[in-house]
Amino acid sequence: TDNMTANRFNILWALAQSFTDHGNYQKAERIWRRIIETTAKLFGDHHQYTVSALHELATSVSRQGRPKEAENHLRQVLEVHV
């Protein structure tokens, strides 16, 4: 049901954020990618959930030493806000 989907989404978001906060960027990256894939399908590429998760993904990949990939993700975020 929709309530279960919302709860699952909230749990995944909290888990990804926790991994990010504790420096486990690889695990966070996998979850952010999953969230982005799901929210893009459900709400579209320009929805605030998708864009926010994309921003979080950029943080995760940047902190793993992949600044060019992070920059590409941030450019996508900016495209939505411009």
Side-chain angles (χ1 to χ4, degrees), residues 21-38:
D21 292 346
H22 290 92
N24 196 333
Y25 304 118
Q26 288 180 324
K27 286 185 179 181
E29 177 185 353
R30 286 195 299 271
I31 297 171
W32 290 126
R33 288 185 188 282
R34 187 171 171 190
I35 290 170
I36 291 164
E37 181 181 326
T38 302

Side-chain angles (χ1 to χ4, degrees), residues 26-80:
Q26 288 180 324
K27 286 185 179 181
E29 177 185 353
R30 286 195 299 271
I31 297 171
W32 290 126
R33 288 185 188 282
R34 187 171 171 190
I35 290 170
I36 291 164
E37 181 181 326
T38 302
T39 57
K41 284 180 187 175
L42 291 173
F43 308 116
D45 292 335
H46 295 132
H47 191 276
Q48 70 182 28
Y49 294 154
T50 307
V51 175
S52 292
L54 192 56
H55 185 265
E56 295 291 345
L57 174 62
T59 299
S60 290
V61 298
S62 175
R63 291 183 179 166
Q64 291 178 71
R66 296 171 10 224
K68 288 289 185 192
E69 183 180 346
E71 180 181 345
N72 290 336
H73 295 311
L74 290 173
R75 286 183 189 281
Q76 290 177 276
V77 171
L78 285 174
E79 286 174 12
V80 174

